[in-house]
Amino acid sequence: MKKGLKKFLALGLSTVLAVGALAGCGTQGDSGKSGSAGKASGSTAGSASGVVLNDGGTYPVVKEGKLELSVFTMSMPNVQDFATNDFTKFLEEKTGIHINFVTAGRDEYEEKLNLLLQSGDYPDVILGGAPNLAKYGVKEGVIIPLDDYLTEKNVPNYLKIVANYDINKTKEADGKIYSLGGVNDCYHCQYARRMWVNQKYLKEMGVEIPTTTEEFKNVCKKFLEYKKGGIAVAGAAQGWHTRMQDWLMGSFTFVPSKSATLSARDYVVLNDETKKVETVAITDAYKAGLKYMNELYKMGAIYDGNFTQTSEQLRTLANQADAPILFFTAGVNSDVIDPESNNELYRNYVPVAPLKGPDGTQIAWTIRNSGFGSGGFCITDKCKNVEAALRWVDFFYNSPTGDLCSQYGAEEGKDWVLNPKGKVGLNGEPALYEVLNLYSSDPQNHDWQDVGLRVAPASYRLGQAVDPNVDPYSPAGLEKLLFDTSKNLYEPYANNTKLLNLSELKLTDEESTAVSTMAVELEKIIEENSVAFITGTKDIDAEWDSYKDAVNKAGIEEILKTYQTAYDRQTK
């Protein structure tokens, strides 16, 4: 368990060293473009730096001299300070490389990363979340291609992992590789759009968990009468699957997650039957879903803050002393209520299966891919020792210990154990490992948890030791709770649609430039109008046609055409 947690210290660009003050991937005084020493056949990092590396695949990475690495990554509320974190200290001792962090929160990550790259004052590497590689890699060369560096000498662990996946997924439109792939073959993540309900309130009201949209509406109505000032349906605009409107829309049509291609909510999907891309945002089914939510809103069931608040604000709301919420949406319930520090409230909330809509539609959102994709780790042209940077990050790919160390802490026997005798995994097979330092959403400074880089193949995720009789609502039962919820309540409804979440498409810079602004404007139009229709500030019947016209004028047809071209190019 995580004990003695310090008061949370928010991380941000304003609280860390500015990138310009950070030493590069060599010592101060190094000059020249990236890779000037990285391709050397020997072990030296280059005469300018005076750094000598050990043989590839061995630790520490640095044999002689001092080497610093500036790293841009995401900060999260439950990781207090990367600079003083126990895992950071372990990694520096392990590799001999000192890390200087530049961070941004989840809600501001993309914007701050783009600002840094546009300013020219950016770090050596980007860990866990790549920028637009068509622009900053293929076109501008800020992110360097890695093809020549991906050798057994530099990344033996990575190559071993990638052998089980399609490395072509990491190639950009020019056929080159600008990032290492991340692996998170997470079963419960495939069905992460989930709703949770306070079963204590249901019992006190004498009602069951709703199974249809009509039952859901009736339960909300009864709750508002039962608990004056209560919130029937809560969610958040920013957070991991916290958007309540997306979950409710599964009773009417399939709504995709944010575009993996343009990082915008363009509502574009792949029709699995025709293999054509299309939009759901102007369909009659989508309109019907909005009208249903308007009914909920008019009765006072939908909280206004759902459309603007962050996941942290949702967490604060849910943990109030009077527990005001009946239903809330979250990919992981522990992100909203901590299973350790607030277990009594935590165990009141149980999962809700997708609701059956008026015409029988009952869809569980899912993302169908292997859990492997590009963007896990990028190197910029500021880095003067590419080999060292790759050997540093290769530790994370040393499965399973790399991921265990970053997620739970680096002390074997205290944070985790391998091959625990007599234990079984989530899949019923002999367990590969047992976690001793259980996950907590409270602030801590022992490990990185879910930030940085995940390297978690399916066998690893399902190989975590779980007591078959564990209390699913104890801190130790989280993985089993999520697994069982996905298996029993969500997977059965995942194939009830021909529409699929569209995987990342590798656009050329020209294609991306042509449609990226359109995608931003399209998202604004769809999101603003959807909220207006739900809240009734716009009459959906009277203004639906003008809304569709605005979507068309924003360039939806051009976006669909560009996506189709890229999809056909990648799948031919």
Side-chain angles (χ1 to χ4, degrees), residues 418-477:
L418 296 177
N419 304 309
K421 188 176 181 180
K423 300 291 181 72
V424 296
L426 285 165
N427 55 8
E429 300 294 324
L432 300 179
Y433 61 95
E434 181 179 10
V435 175
L436 305 178
N437 178 35
L438 299 177
Y439 178 89
S440 172
S441 56
D442 285 343
Q444 54 78 46
N445 211 34
H446 184 60
D447 47 64
W448 289 7
Q449 299 204 11
D450 287 326
V451 297
L453 178 67
R454 288 305 314 268
V455 181
S459 59
Y460 164 74
R461 293 292 305 237
L462 297 176
Q464 180 176 342
V466 175
D467 180 351
N469 300 314
V470 68
D471 176 0
Y473 291 95
S474 68

Side-chain angles (χ1 to χ4, degrees), residues 397-409:
Y397 292 95
N398 184 21
S399 186
T401 55
D403 196 77
L404 287 172
C405 288
S406 67
Q407 284 278 296
Y408 306 108

Side-chain angles (χ1 to χ4, degrees), residues 352-417:
V352 182
L355 304 173
K356 182 178 292 186
D359 66 354
T361 299
Q362 191 174 18
I363 300 170
W365 174 90
T366 189
I367 184 165
R368 303 174 190 175
N369 60 32
S370 65
F372 175 73
S374 62
F377 179 77
C378 304
I379 300 179
T380 74
D381 60 1
K382 299 282 187 181
C383 185
K384 309 222 172 26
N385 197 318
V386 177
E387 283 189 355
L390 286 171
R391 294 189 200 180
W392 174 82
V393 81
D394 195 52
F395 172 79
F396 291 85
Y397 292 95
N398 184 21
S399 186
T401 55
D403 196 77
L404 287 172
C405 288
S406 67
Q407 284 278 296
Y408 306 108
E411 297 183 56
E412 184 174 3
K414 180 179 178 182
D415 296 320
W416 44 268
V417 294

Side-chain angles (χ1 to χ4, degrees), residues 39-97:
K39 293 185 183 180
S41 59
S43 61
T44 60
S47 57
S49 69
V51 172
V52 179
L53 304 183
N54 277 313
D55 293 336
T58 61
Y59 296 99
V61 173
V62 177
K63 183 177 183 180
E64 296 178 12
K66 294 183 178 180
L67 195 150
E68 296 189 358
L69 189 68
S70 55
V71 178
F72 183 88
T73 195
M74 184 182 296
S75 65
M76 292 287 280
N78 58 350
V79 179
Q80 289 177 329
D81 188 346
F82 283 100
T84 59
N85 190 276
D86 291 341
F87 173 66
T88 301
K89 295 176 182 177
F90 162 82
L91 192 59
E92 291 189 351
E93 183 177 347
K94 177 80 173 178
T95 63
I97 298 174

Side-chain angles (χ1 to χ4, degrees), residues 29-276:
D30 287 346
S31 60
K33 282 287 185 180
S34 66
S36 59
K39 293 185 183 180
S41 59
S43 61
T44 60
S47 57
S49 69
V51 172
V52 179
L53 304 183
N54 277 313
D55 293 336
T58 61
Y59 296 99
V61 173
V62 177
K63 183 177 183 180
E64 296 178 12
K66 294 183 178 180
L67 195 150
E68 296 189 358
L69 189 68
S70 55
V71 178
F72 183 88
T73 195
M74 184 182 296
S75 65
M76 292 287 280
N78 58 350
V79 179
Q80 289 177 329
D81 188 346
F82 283 100
T84 59
N85 190 276
D86 291 341
F87 173 66
T88 301
K89 295 176 182 177
F90 162 82
L91 192 59
E92 291 189 351
E93 183 177 347
K94 177 80 173 178
T95 63
I97 298 174
H98 177 71
I99 311 164
N100 293 307
F101 288 97
V102 182
T103 67
R106 178 165 56 186
D107 299 332
E108 59 188 1
Y109 182 86
E110 293 177 16
E111 179 183 359
K112 288 195 173 183
L113 177 55
N114 284 327
L115 287 174
L116 283 174
L117 293 174
Q118 290 166 11
S119 73
D121 202 15
Y122 45 82
D124 299 317
V125 303
I126 301 164
L127 180 71
N132 182 339
L133 293 177
K135 171 180 172 60
Y136 296 110
V138 177
K139 183 179 181 180
E140 298 182 4
V142 171
I143 308 297
I144 66 169
L146 301 175
D147 305 69
D148 293 341
Y149 299 101
L150 300 184
T151 65
E152 286 287 344
K153 173 185 172 184
N154 294 328
V155 286
N157 295 321
Y158 179 70
L159 293 178
K160 184 177 179 180
I161 288 287
V162 170
N164 298 312
Y165 299 94
D166 181 8
I167 197 171
N168 289 319
K169 286 188 175 183
T170 63
K171 292 182 178 180
E172 296 304 308
D174 65 351
K176 295 181 181 179
I177 296 173
Y178 292 83
S179 68
L180 301 190
V183 183
N184 192 11
D185 209 343
C186 165
Y187 175 73
H188 78 76
C189 300
Q190 295 176 38
Y191 310 99
R193 189 177 287 169
R194 289 185 273 262
M195 177 76 82
W196 308 84
V197 63
N198 190 313
Q199 62 179 345
K200 177 175 176 286
Y201 289 150
L202 294 182
K203 184 177 180 180
E204 291 172 354
M205 293 188 295
V207 296
E208 301 293 328
I209 296 176
T211 60
T212 68
T213 51
E214 190 64 25
E215 289 177 2
F216 185 86
K217 182 167 61 175
N218 290 336
V219 169
C220 288
K221 181 178 181 181
K222 191 161 188 174
F223 174 74
L224 294 173
E225 296 169 351
Y226 164 78
K227 189 175 180 65
K228 300 300 182 182
I231 298 171
V233 185
Q238 299 168 339
W240 197 56
H241 296 283
T242 54
R243 286 164 51 98
M244 60 89 205
Q245 62 268 46
D246 292 347
W247 188 88
L248 288 169
M249 196 61 77
S251 303
F252 300 88
T253 189
F254 179 83
V255 173
S257 53
K258 197 172 186 178
S259 169
T261 303
L262 292 177
S263 193
R265 295 190 186 281
D266 53 25
Y267 288 75
V268 174
V269 296
L270 175 69
N271 187 312
D272 196 34
E273 292 181 357
T274 64
K275 302 303 179 185
K276 299 297 182 183

